[in-house]
Amino acid sequence: MTQSPLSFPTPRPGVLDIAAYVPGRDKAPSGKTLYKLSSNETPLGPSPKAVEAYQSISDDLAAYPDGSAHDLREAIAKRHGLAADRIVCGNGSDELLSLITQTYLSPGDEVIISEHGFLVYPIATKAASGTPVEVKDKDLTADIDGFLAAVTERTKIVFLANPNNPTGTYVPFSEVRRLHAGVPPHVLLVLDAAYAEYVRRNDYESGIELAATAPNVVMTRTFSKIYGLAKLRIGWMYGPAHVIDAINRVRGPFNMTGPAIAAGAAAMADTGYIDKAVAHNERWLPKLTEALDGIGLTVTPSVGNFILVHFPKTPGKTADDADDALLAEGLVTRKVGAYKLPDALRISIGSDEANQHLIATLTRFMADGR
Ligand SMILES: *Cc1c(COP(=O)(O)O)cnc(C)c1O
């Protein structure tokens, strides 16, 4: 028998077009203290109450977790004034983004994303045989006119990270409303508000209100950033009942672990804990931006807990050279070539010590190229 080219299992269309996601690095050279500024985690860690709740589950590992994540949804609902039955929790918001594409896309359906948008969107889209349609940014910010112009009859989903990672920029909520008003009712608008807690702008909204009232808007949130629980993988989404129902049919019956449910609920209930992280960010975001500006680097104005820093193309001073110099000092940042920003590094706002070390290292680097 001759072998036909299809005599082996082949992935669905789109899967082999995926460029695998490369996570932020987490290793310093041996002997160096690691300052991990590569994945936008908080330097302040999680609420001690969340840690305690996590540990309390260690006696009960044999039993399946609550598949509905009831306690976690209730804690989120109470804190944000929402209906708990319109919340779905996910193994990180990454899982929810994938569930959304799996639930709503058919082969060839189009998904609108921004030029320098979060890389999980094209991955989740291609994995579900959808077609990502990229819209050019304006000043490294999502261009709502461009989004509206990209809508076709094949458009099924629009992903908007607000604020966006890795640029740190945001669009005012009036623009989000204009986007919503301009897309047809069968298009699902996904507002990814992973950094919402950090934003201090009076024209910003996360999208809770729109997701509460519109039949085609969902908002996703995460415990990985300001809540300091990235390792537990906890995300949540709020949206119309019919979307929540569809997602719950596709989602794995036990997608959340017991420790994640317990720790997440305790973190949400510890109101006030994240205020420290907000204050730390508010202190360092302008300080870091000004310091790097002062040594000749360009920093994109950010409203999140990270900055996008642009380096010269001059040999010895490039983003890759800076990355080498930082790494040698234990400072691990994020290269963003995969985001089409080869001349920049994304740097999370770290502890006082990490930030001071970063400024000192980059000051030396810009002065003498070392
Ligand atoms: C970090 C991040 C997330 C969160 O992902 P999790 O899977 O919840 O850890 C989602 N969206 C954006 C834009 C992010 O930067």
Side-chain angles (χ1 to χ4, degrees):
M1 237 173 98
T2 54
Q3 286 219 324
S4 94
L6 290 180
S7 61
F8 51 86
T10 49
R12 60 188 296 159
V15 169
L16 298 182
D17 299 331
I18 294 173
Y21 186 86
V22 181
R25 295 160 299 172
D26 59 0
K27 294 276 182 299
S30 66
K32 284 282 173 187
T33 306
L34 169 70
Y35 299 95
K36 185 172 189 286
L37 306 176
S38 58
S39 300
N40 300 346
E41 298 122 330
T42 171
L44 303 186
S47 156
K49 290 179 180 150
V51 177
E52 200 179 302
Y54 170 81
Q55 286 166 341
S56 74
I57 305 296
S58 63
D59 295 343
D60 188 25
L61 297 183
Y64 272 97
D66 166 22
S68 81
H70 173 272
D71 294 355
L72 178 54
R73 287 185 301 107
E74 286 294 338
I76 295 166
K78 186 165 174 219
R79 173 81 171 260
H80 289 279
L82 305 173
D85 59 0
R86 286 178 54 184
I87 296 170
V88 189
C89 295
N91 194 253
S93 42
D94 286 354
E95 185 194 23
L96 296 169
L97 299 170
S98 292
L99 283 171
I100 289 167
T101 59
Q102 278 177 53
T103 303
Y104 285 97
L105 293 183
S106 299
D109 281 349
E110 294 175 356
V111 176
I112 299 179
I113 57 179
S114 72
E115 181 183 7
H116 302 293
F118 189 42
L119 278 180
V120 170
Y121 310 150
I123 292 174
T125 298
K126 291 173 184 171
S129 298
T131 304
V133 174
E134 209 176 277
V135 174
K136 284 260 177 276
D137 274 0
K138 241 188 199 158
D139 298 330
L140 294 174
T141 307
D143 174 23
I144 299 306
D145 286 321
F147 270 57
L148 289 170
V151 173
T152 73
E153 70 274 8
R154 303 282 346 229
T155 306
K156 211 59 189 288
I157 298 173
V158 175
F159 282 118
L160 179 69
N162 201 26
N164 184 55
N165 167 20
T167 55
T169 55
Y170 78 109
V171 295
F173 208 67
S174 56
E175 284 290 278
V176 177
R177 285 196 187 282
R178 192 162 72 82
L179 172 63
H180 175 246
V183 298
H186 68 272
V187 170
L188 182 64
L189 174 59
V190 180
L191 302 174
D192 178 347
Y195 301 95
E197 296 86 354
Y198 285 110
V199 185
R200 286 291 168 272
R201 290 287 189 283
N202 57 19
D203 59 354
Y204 174 80
E205 280 177 43
S206 64
I208 283 190
E209 187 60 33
L210 197 56
T213 51
N216 63 334
V217 179
V218 299
M219 175 198 62
T220 60
R221 300 284 282 263
T222 184
F223 284 72
S224 302
K225 304 289 156 57
I226 204 162
Y227 285 96
L229 293 170
K231 215 170 226 106
L232 287 184
R233 312 302 302 122
I234 313 171
W236 59 281
M237 146 180 161
Y238 190 64
H242 65 95
V243 175
I244 299 306
D245 171 64
I247 297 286
N248 272 329
R249 289 169 195 256
V250 177
R251 147 181 101 75
F254 302 104
N255 65 326
M256 304 295 293
T257 69
I261 294 169
M268 254 304 144
D270 191 1
T271 51
Y273 180 78
I274 65 168
D275 295 353
K276 266 179 285 175
V278 173
H280 178 81
N281 207 62
E282 252 181 294
R283 196 152 55 81
W284 274 108
L285 184 60
K287 218 165 144 172
L288 268 181
T289 304
E290 281 158 32
L292 301 189
D293 211 54
I295 56 170
L297 294 167
T298 305
V299 180
T300 300
S302 171
V303 295
N305 67 331
F306 57 92
I307 49 176
L308 186 68
V309 184
H310 305 267
F311 290 83
K313 288 182 190 289
T314 326
K317 305 276 187 200
T318 66
D320 282 350
D321 297 326
D323 181 63
D324 291 344
L326 290 166
L327 196 58
E329 289 296 327
L331 291 155
V332 180
T333 68
R334 184 61 172 267
K335 290 193 186 196
V336 281
Y339 286 92
K340 297 187 279 299
L341 296 163
D343 300 324
L345 295 177
R346 191 196 67 197
I347 306 178
S348 311
I349 289 171
S351 63
D352 292 350
E353 186 188 337
N355 299 337
Q356 278 149 3
H357 190 35
L358 175 84
I359 293 171
T361 304
L362 282 178
T363 302
R364 256 183 290 132
F365 169 78
M366 287 304 283
D368 59 26
R370 154 71 201 76

